[in-house]
Amino acid sequence: MLFRIIAAATAVALLMIAGCDKQKALPVAVAPAATRRADPSPNVTTSQTGGIVFRDRTAESQIRFTYRNDDEHSDFSILESLGGGVAIFDFDQDGRKDVFLPGGGLFGDRQTSGLPSSLFRQIADWRFVEVTGPTLIGPSRHYSHGAAVADCNEDGFDDVLITGFGGLTLYQNQGDGSFRDVTAESKLDDRLWSSSAAWGDFNGDGVLDLYVAHYGDWSFDKHPSCEGPAGHPRDVCPPRQFNGLPDLIYFGKGDGEFDDATAEAGLQPDGKGLGVVAADIDLDGDLDVYVCNDTVANFLYRNDGRGHFEDISLTSGTAFSDRGTPDGSMGVDVGDYNGDGLPDIWVTNYERENNALYRNLGNGIFRHVSQSMGISAIGAMYVGWGTRFIDADLDGDEDLFVSNSHVIRFPVDTPRFQRPLMLENTNGTRFVNVTERSGEYLSLTHAGRGVATGDLDGDGDEDIVVSHVNESAAVLSNESTPKRNWFVVRLIGTSSARSAIGARAVARIGDKSLTRQIRGGSSYLSTSDKSLHFGCDSAAQIDELTVTWISGGRLVLHNIPCNQVVTIVEPK
Amino acid sequence: MKQSNPQLMSAPDKQISSARRLRGRWWIVFATACVTVVAAFWLTRNLSPENAYRRGRAALLTGDRETVLREAESLIQTPKYQSHGWLLKGLLLSRLGKLDQAITYLEKSAENESLAIEANTVAAQCLYQSGLYLQAIQASNRALERDERCVDARRWLAAAYYDLGAVTNAVEELERISVEAPADPRPTRLLGLIARDSESYPDAIQYYRESLTRDTNQPEVVAELAECLMKRNQPAEALVILGQCEPSAVVLTLTAECLSRVGRLKEAHDSLRNALRLEPQFFPAMLALGKLHLDQGNNSDALQVLTDAVRRNPNDSQAHFQLSQAMHRAGDKQGADRELQQMQEIQALEREFSSLHAAAAKEPNDAALRFRAGEVARQLGKLKLARLWYRAALAIDPSDIKSRSALHELDRST
C-alpha cells in the first residue's frame, strides 16, 4: 500500500540541512487391494529430518505436454496469467493413475479459442501414452484453465469438468475408454470466466453438486492497457483493474442435470475466486467451502447441511492476512498439520504476502500461524499457486508442496520464473524449507501453476504432477529416503455420493492420530487422486482406523497392517 | 644651533632661506597629497558598491542584521547596484522568515543575470517554505537553466515535487543530487524512504546502504534498513544490523518482529516488553505484543494489550483486526463484529488514500485530488499528512477555499 508517510519537514530536513444418475450402489466391503510396487521391507527410521526428494521423471513418463497461454499474441491480457491445472485419476479403472491436462487457449481478433486438453493413460510404471484422440476428451470450446474430476453420475468412472474463459465443459466418462461432452444436457450453462471448481454433495441429498469459482470481469471490451516497468511500455494489468465476478453453485438433480442454486445457497455477490476447496472444515457432517480470492477477502462458507452457506471468513479469521489485509490468494488445501484432528486451511498468496496457514482452533475460530510455524521465514518473494498437503516422507505429518511463478511478464522485485517450495513439517511444530535438497526439479525455476498429487507408481507415497505456463508439465516421482511404512485407504460412498468427498479417516498409531479427508477441489485448477495416504513411519500397523462419511455413516477397523491399499465401501 | 636674524641676512642668505621655506611647504603639500590619496583610496575602497555588497554578505554570515540592511539600502540607492541591494535584502528577509517580502526582493534581484542563480535558488526556498510549490519549481528551474549543477536549486526542486505528491519527478531529481553531491548521505536516505513507502524494498535497501556508505553514523537509517530487510524476509540479516543499534523502542520492536519470524518467540516477547519499558505507549510494540499473545494462545493478555493499543491509536485497522480476533476467541461476538466493522471502515479509507496517492503522482496539477487526500488523511488521524496535502492543493490552486479553511481548522485544532 502506498503511504506517503514522510512529513514535508522530514523531506526538507533530509535535503537541506543544508447431472448425475445414481446407478451403482456397491456392497459394503473392506477390500485390501494389491499394491503394484509396495516395498516389502521398508527401511524404518524415526528421524524427523528425513530426506524429501522428488525425481523428475517427465521424460521417462512420455508425458509431453505444455499448457499454452498464447502470450506471444501480445494482448497482455490478464487471462494469460491464470495458467492451467492438472488432474490425477484412474479414468479407466485399471488400477493405474492417469493424468489429464487442460490445454489453454489462443487470442484472436477480439476473441479467444481453446487449445485441446490432453489425457495420458499410464500403461506401466512411469510410462504413459496419450489417449486424447481415442477418448474424445480433447476438444475445448473455451480458453481453458482447470480440471475438476469426480464421478458425478455415480457410474464408477470419473467424469471431467473443464473450466475456463466463457464457459464450462463437462465430459462424462462412458466407462468404455471414451468421454462424451454432456455440458448442454447437464445444463451447466455458466458463461463467466471460471477458474477452479469443486465437486461435493453440498445439500446432503447424496448427489454431487458443483461449486464454480469465478475470477474477474475482463473482456475485450474491458481490456485496459497497463504500463510496464522501465523499459517495458506494457504489461499484464493487475487484478485491481477488474471487478470480481460472483461464484456459482449448481445442485445436482440426480438425473444428470444441474440447477443453478447460487441464490438459495447465499453466496457472496462478488469475489475474485481462484482456488477453491470443499471439505467438512467444522466437522459437523456437511461440506463447507473455502474460496481464495485475489486481492479481496477470502470466503469461508459454513454449510448448514442443506446447502445454505454463511460466510464466516471475517469472524473466523480466515479472510485476511495476519495484518488484517486481503491477500492475493491463489491456491488452497485443507489438512491437519498439527495432528489435533481439526482441519486447518493452507493458502498460497502473491509476492510480498506470506502464504497463510490458518490453524483451526475449533468453534469456527482460526489463527494465522504462518509466523510461528516458520512459514513467514521462508520469504514472501514467491507468487504461490498450486499446493497440496502431502506426507512426502511418510513420517505421519503432512508436508507442503507449492508451485510458484509470477503473473506478470516484467516483475521488478522478484523473478518471473520461480522455484517451487517443499516445506517439511517437523511433527506439527514448525515447517522447514527443504526445497534446496529435494531434487533437481525443485532446485530450478519454473512457471508453475496447477499441482496434483497421487501415487502414480503404487509404491505407497504420493507423487506430484505440475502444470506450467508455456513450459512442459513435470512429473515428479517421490523418492524420499529413508522409505517408511505407509497405508492408503480408498473410500467409496454409497449413501454418500460415490466420490466420498468430505469423508474422513482417522488412523490411530500408538498415541498419534492422523486425520485425512477427501477434498473437493483444492490446490489450484486441479484435482488430486482421492485416495487418503497415511505415513506410518516405523509402525507396522494402524491400531485403529475410523472412517466417517459425510452422510454420517461410520466404520471402525482395528489392527490393519501398513504398506497396503485398502478400499472401504460405505456401509449402507 | 646657530640662530640667524633675517633682517641681517645677505641676499644669498635670503635666497637660501626662501628655498628652505619652499622645501618645507613642499613636504606639507606632499604629506597633504599623500593623506588625500590615502583617504581617497580608503574612501573609494570602502564606499564602493562592491565593498558594500561584500560587507553585507559578511554581515549576513555573522547575523549582523543592521549592517546587512544598511549596506543593502545603500546599494539600492547606487545606480547599477540596485539588484545587489535587493539580493542582500531578500537574503536577510528570508533568514528572518519574512518570506513574502523576501520573495519580492529576490525576484527583483534575479533580473540581474550575474545574481540570477542565487536569487532564484533562495526564492525557490522561500516559495517552497510558503507552500507555493509550483512557483518553487519554476524558480528552481530558472536557477538550473543557468547552472544545472546548482545542487541547492535541485534540492528545492525535489522537495517541491515531493510535497506536491509528484514522487516520480522527485525521485529523478534526488537521483541527480545523489550523483552531484557524492558525499551527501541525505538524498539517498530520502530515496530510501520513498522506496520503502511504495514497498519497493530491494530499492530501499540499496538506497539505505548507499546512504550508510556515505555516513555510517546514522542510527535511524540503520533501523530503516533493518525494517526493509525484515520486510524482504531477511530477518537474520536484519537482526545483525539491529544488534548494532542503540536499543530504542523502535529498534526493540523491530528486533522482536525479526525474532518472531525466526521462531524465537520468547526472546521476541522479552524484546517487546523492553520496548514498552522504554516507551510504555509505543503503539507498534503494543500491537506486536498483542499479536504475539494471540499466537501463543494467551487470549486474556492479548485482549488487554490490544484494547490499550486500540485506545492509543483508534485509526489503525490492524489493531481493530487483532482485537476482533481476541474478542471472538473470548466469545464476545458483538465486540468482535464491532471491531471488524471499524477495521473495514478504516481499510476503505486506507485504500482510498493509497489510490489518491498514486493518482497524485500521475496528476501533479490536480488540486481537488489533493484536497480529498487531505480529507482522507485527516479521517485516518494522520494530521501531518493532511496538512501536507491541503498545502499541496493550495499550491496548485491558491483560491481553493476548501483546502484553505481545512488547513486553518487543522492549525487551530492542533
Side-chain angles (χ1 to χ4, degrees), chain A residues 28-83:
Chain A
V28 177
V30 177
T35 57
R36 279 194 277 124
R37 221 177 63 184
D39 187 340
S41 55
N43 184 2
V44 171
T45 175
T46 55
S47 165
Q48 288 295 319
T49 54
I52 295 176
V53 174
F54 283 85
R55 182 175 152 203
D56 189 342
R57 289 199 185 229
T58 310
E60 181 185 341
S61 73
Q62 309 269 322
I63 292 182
R64 295 194 183 96
F65 174 85
T66 301
Y67 177 95
R68 295 275 173 205
N69 69 352
D70 198 22
D71 65 357
E72 54 268 46
H73 200 264
S74 292
D75 275 81
F76 293 93
S77 159
I78 194 168
L79 182 59
E80 74 180 49
S81 62
L82 261 59

Side-chain angles (χ1 to χ4, degrees), chain B residues 286 301-312 319 323 327:
Chain B
M286 295 167 92
D301 290 339
L303 260 175
Q304 194 185 329
V305 173
L306 291 167
T307 304
D308 288 347
V310 165
R311 205 174 292 133
R312 176 89 180 99
L323 181 57
M327 285 176 154

Side-chain angles (χ1 to χ4, degrees), chain B residues 314-332:
Chain B
N315 295 305
D316 187 275
S317 62
Q318 256 209 78
H320 287 286
F321 175 69
Q322 302 297 343
L323 181 57
S324 81
Q325 299 287 298
M327 285 176 154
H328 201 71
R329 274 201 219 175
D332 180 2

Side-chain angles (χ1 to χ4, degrees), chain B residues 12-322:
Chain B
D13 287 344
K14 281 182 181 173
Q15 283 174 353
I16 291 165
S17 174
S18 173
R20 279 181 182 158
R21 273 201 305 273
L22 278 172
R23 199 164 57 194
R25 279 185 197 142
W26 186 86
W27 276 110
I28 290 165
V29 170
F30 180 73
T32 306
C34 283
V35 168
T36 306
V37 167
V38 169
F41 180 73
W42 184 86
L43 281 171
T44 310
R45 202 175 145 81
N46 284 281
L47 294 178
S48 76
E50 285 88 354
N51 281 316
Y53 181 62
R54 229 171 270 132
R55 279 196 304 276
R57 303 286 314 206
L60 261 179
L61 291 175
T62 58
D64 179 359
R65 288 188 218 172
E66 284 170 16
T67 303
V68 180
L69 206 56
R70 190 179 61 238
E71 300 299 351
E73 291 296 352
S74 77
L75 286 165
I76 290 168
Q77 302 305 320
T78 308
K80 297 185 183 173
Y81 282 92
Q82 283 174 313
S83 46
H84 289 77
W86 291 329
L87 178 61
L88 273 183
K89 210 165 176 181
L91 293 172
L92 177 66
L93 290 166
S94 78
R95 289 183 187 205
L96 295 174
K98 295 178 178 174
L99 302 175
D100 290 352
Q101 294 173 54
I103 291 164
T104 308
Y105 285 110
L106 290 164
E107 285 180 345
K108 283 166 80 171
S109 69
E111 287 164 18
N112 181 331
E113 194 56 35
S114 67
L115 305 177
I117 295 171
E118 184 180 11
N120 277 311
T121 301
V122 182
Q125 174 187 346
C126 295
L127 289 161
Y128 171 84
Q129 288 169 338
S130 305
L132 301 167
Y133 304 133
L134 291 178
Q135 290 92 323
I137 289 169
Q138 289 164 357
S140 300
N141 280 329
R142 283 196 293 272
L144 288 165
E145 277 164 21
R146 289 164 174 86
D147 178 8
E148 62 171 14
R149 295 181 65 84
C150 179
V151 177
D152 281 350
R154 203 171 292 285
R155 288 181 201 273
W156 293 116
L157 181 62
Y161 274 137
Y162 181 81
D163 281 10
L164 264 181
V167 178
T168 314
N169 303 63
V171 167
E172 258 175 53
E173 299 307 328
L174 285 166
E175 294 273 15
R176 286 199 63 169
I177 296 165
S178 170
V179 173
E180 284 162 13
D184 187 350
R186 294 165 302 187
T188 41
R189 195 253 176 126
L190 185 52
L191 283 164
L193 284 170
I194 292 171
R196 187 191 69 171
D197 284 354
S198 59
E199 297 184 348
S200 299
Y201 298 118
D203 290 343
I205 289 167
Q206 205 178 328
Y207 287 130
Y208 285 137
R209 286 197 197 283
E210 174 60 30
S211 182
L212 287 167
T213 307
R214 294 175 183 201
D215 180 5
T216 51
N217 188 26
Q218 299 182 87
E220 67 287 0
V221 179
V222 175
E224 285 158 13
L225 170 62
E227 186 189 348
C228 291
L229 286 167
M230 193 188 64
K231 299 278 187 193
R232 282 277 294 176
N233 272 289
Q234 295 170 251
E237 204 178 331
L239 277 172
V240 171
I241 286 171
L242 287 165
Q244 298 162 3
C245 297
E246 283 287 311
S248 64
V250 173
V251 166
L252 289 167
T253 306
L254 281 171
T255 303
E257 200 160 336
C258 293
L259 289 166
S260 292
R261 288 192 184 217
V262 295
R264 292 157 63 181
L265 301 185
K266 169 80 176 62
E267 291 165 80
H269 194 276
D270 293 345
S271 191
L272 289 171
R273 284 276 174 222
N274 290 335
L276 288 169
R277 256 193 286 277
L278 287 177
E279 274 188 53
Q281 293 298 305
F282 187 59
F283 173 75
M286 295 167 92
L287 181 61
L289 186 61
K291 280 176 69 177
L292 200 57
H293 280 314
L294 273 176
D295 284 345
Q296 294 177 313
N298 307 326
N299 205 47
S300 57
D301 290 339
L303 260 175
Q304 194 185 329
V305 173
L306 291 167
T307 304
D308 288 347
V310 165
R311 205 174 292 133
R312 176 89 180 99
N313 189 353
N315 295 305
D316 187 275
S317 62
Q318 256 209 78
H320 287 286
F321 175 69
Q322 302 297 343

Side-chain angles (χ1 to χ4, degrees), chain A residues 250-312:
Chain A
Y250 289 103
F251 285 168
K253 293 165 69 176
D255 59 359
E257 287 188 6
F258 290 85
D259 276 340
D260 182 345
T262 308
E264 62 188 273
L267 302 186
Q268 294 280 17
D270 52 11
K272 280 179 202 167
L274 287 175
V276 58
V277 62
D280 185 2
I281 291 170
D282 54 3
L283 302 181
D284 65 348
D286 54 39
L287 281 174
D288 310 299
V289 177
Y290 188 86
V291 184
C292 293
N293 288 313
D294 197 1
T295 69
V296 294
N298 296 332
F299 302 143
L300 173 54
Y301 287 118
R302 184 163 58 190
N303 192 346
D304 69 354
R306 299 188 303 274
H308 184 268
F309 294 95
E310 180 194 4
D311 179 12
I312 60 162

Side-chain angles (χ1 to χ4, degrees), chain A residues 320-341:
Chain A
F320 301 123
S321 72
D322 60 343
R323 298 167 57 87
T325 50
D327 284 327
S329 299
M330 269 81 86
V332 61
D333 201 8
V334 165
D336 179 18
Y337 80 91
N338 58 347
D340 65 357

